[in-house]
Amino acid sequence: MAMHQFKAESKKLMDLMINSIYTNRDIFLRELISNASDACDKRYFKSLTDTSIGITKDDLKIHIQPDKEARTLTITDNGIGMTKEDLEKNLGTIAKSGSLDFKTENQSDNIDIIGQFGVGFYSAFMVAQKVTVISRAQGADTAWKWESKGVEGYTITEADKDDVGTEIILVLKDDTDSENYSEYLDDYTIANLVKKYSDYIRFPITMYREKSRQKPKPEDAGDDYKPEYETYTELETLNSMVPIWKRPKSEVKDEDYNEFYKNKFMDYSDPLRVITSRTEGTATYTALLFVPGRTPYDYYTKEYEKGLALYASGVMIMEKCADLLPDYFSFVKGLVDSEDLSLNISREMLQHDRQLKLIATSLEKKIKSELLKLQKNDREKYETFWKGFGRQLKYGLYSSFGANSELLSDLLLFYSSHEKKLSTLEEYIGRMPEDQKYIYYACGDSLERIDQLPQAELVKDKGYEILYFTEDVDEFVTKMMPVYQEKEFRSVSSNDLGLESEEEKEETKKQQEQNKDLFGAIKEALGERVTEVRLSGRLKNAACCLTAKGQVSLEMERVLGAMPG
Ligand code: ADP
């Protein structure tokens, strides 16, 4: 039997799993249950268009069974199943983007890496010394058995299985002085874990439990009769099955939302904000959205896929519906459940669906207003959010040529020379002295560098505040949104700062004329490196400074120059 090697990255991840660096190993169960539930969803969805499958939603279930003697825990589902190729592809690699390389040197960061990847199937190796997956795919004649004891590799062989679905058998690790793996054979522990992490799963999660009951009192029992007990097994459904987004918000604890989020969207930290929305009218839907507490490791890369899970009357029809989110809110995770959508709508049709567009527009407004609320009511959290995703909002504003500036401008934050804190544009304007005409900004690598700019000095000296533009995209944003609340943006490096009075301007002009020869000589010495040398009315302590003419500032020129092509 040939032993197959895992892809290099899977190996690394498994190494981490097996050595249990991840502290919360309980979650292996919810990961396996989620996979089983997804598989049931997929099979049900398929059955809607393929009547030959012949199942109803009530037929689908997940069963968990511990076996103390064999030291196994088995999780069975009758979902879509996996072909031999699926097993190879899904369980032979975990590399989602080839980014596992980063940070593996640093042990304390390992938790982050695992969390970032979504622990998934591999988490089984946190508690199991051997994992066997027996699966038969919908429509396949044969079943296949995948087996692995960890990093060494896995085998795939043909197997017997009558029904469509997947069975995962974990042989638990041996207990040690400090670790008790046997707890996962205890039906009470299992029932609690299911309740805690997987209660909302829409398919029943069952387990045979041993129970005890009083035997019926015999007819002829005397006065000294003592009740007798007997044990029996009963198939119990462990989860309540009501999807969390269908439950009234008042009944759901923050903790439940957090667990749901972490489980469903494979994050290891709590969301920063939970947004629930129930709307009836032009678009009827329930939405449960989350603003993540951390920037996903691949967020600012091409690999990152935006989108919300889409349900039609409780049935998942798409895992990531990109059309529901504009790019600038691409960080939002969550789901939308609507009764207005047809179950067997195709992806192509969905794109043109009027209902979907209405939902998207309504969600966009909702997200904005929730973010504004956060900004007003919990500034600290908002700033955390801003540090993680602010750049995306700015890109959004820039790349839509300012079309969304009205929507996004209130959400923007910039560092300001006022107390060196993040400030909204509205706050900036609120602090403007009466005679200040423009919103001043200065570009540079850091606040310190900007403070050293001779150009900035004069503006600050006037008692005006400066916004620090430290990110490449910042100044581009002002080109797309040249005014905010009727105030124009003005770079401290621009030709006209609007600080000089007409007389002062005249005076500068005169002096320029008088010293024509001197400036001519300097220009000649510098040659092509500058276009012009002239007198400036804006310097205080520095002897000279560089400025740009026209729309493109020195900073923008630098950014544009660094762009490929
Ligand atoms: P993820 O769930 O994030 O995709 P996993 O490592 O948990 O990652 O699973 C990898 C893939 O294996 C799943 O996407 C799914 O296609 C397949 N899979 C896992 N468990 C099952 C199952 N019980 N039934 C069918 N397919 C499964």
Side-chain angles (χ1 to χ4, degrees), residues 243-396:
I244 193 164
W245 62 94
K246 291 271 176 180
R247 282 159 55 190
K249 199 179 177 187
S250 55
E251 276 179 24
V252 186
K253 288 185 293 214
D254 288 351
E255 231 172 282
D256 299 335
Y257 280 131
N258 291 353
E259 275 311 324
F260 175 79
Y261 165 76
K262 288 194 276 194
N263 177 6
K264 178 107 186 159
F265 301 104
M266 302 191 299
D267 197 348
Y268 58 100
S269 43
D270 288 341
L272 194 80
R273 181 113 177 152
V274 179
I275 303 172
T276 55
S277 173
R278 225 166 274 222
T279 316
E280 273 167 49
T282 39
T284 304
Y285 69 85
T286 307
L288 177 56
L289 310 180
F290 302 91
V291 177
R294 274 177 170 253
T295 323
Y297 74 96
D298 61 350
Y299 187 57
Y300 288 108
T301 72
K302 281 203 195 76
E303 267 84 50
Y304 183 83
E305 266 183 81
K306 67 163 183 173
L308 300 175
L310 185 61
Y311 289 75
S313 306
V315 180
M316 186 167 80
I317 58 174
M318 204 188 274
E319 240 175 291
K320 269 194 182 166
C321 181
D323 298 319
L324 283 170
L325 284 178
D327 279 341
Y328 41 87
F329 289 152
S330 63
F331 50 85
V332 174
K333 308 259 184 194
L335 59 90
V336 173
D337 193 348
S338 172
E339 280 148 39
D340 297 337
L341 297 165
S342 139
L343 270 180
N344 36 27
I345 191 164
S346 74
R347 254 158 224 260
E348 292 69 39
M349 276 158 65
L350 204 54
Q351 276 190 348
H352 304 291
D353 193 82
R354 207 177 65 88
Q355 229 39 52
L356 198 73
K357 288 216 171 78
L358 287 173
I359 296 174
T361 313
S362 150
L363 284 179
E364 188 175 322
K365 286 203 196 105
K366 178 78 184 168
I367 296 168
K368 183 199 169 180
S369 77
E370 287 287 327
L371 289 174
L372 274 180
K373 251 194 244 165
L374 191 66
Q375 190 194 72
K376 299 256 147 39
N377 305 334
D378 191 343
R379 187 56 173 255
E380 200 178 315
K381 256 195 184 174
Y382 187 77
E383 291 190 6
T384 307
F385 154 76
W386 181 254
K387 281 170 191 151
F389 302 108
R391 193 141 65 100
Q392 184 66 16
L393 294 189
K394 291 189 272 188
Y395 279 131

Side-chain angles (χ1 to χ4, degrees), residues 35-36 39 42 77 80-82 90-91 96 120-122 166 266:
N35 282 347
K42 284 179 195 160
D77 68 70
I80 193 95
M82 284 178 275
N90 297 335
L91 309 186
K96 295 223 162 111
F121 170 77
Y122 287 83
T166 302
M266 302 191 299

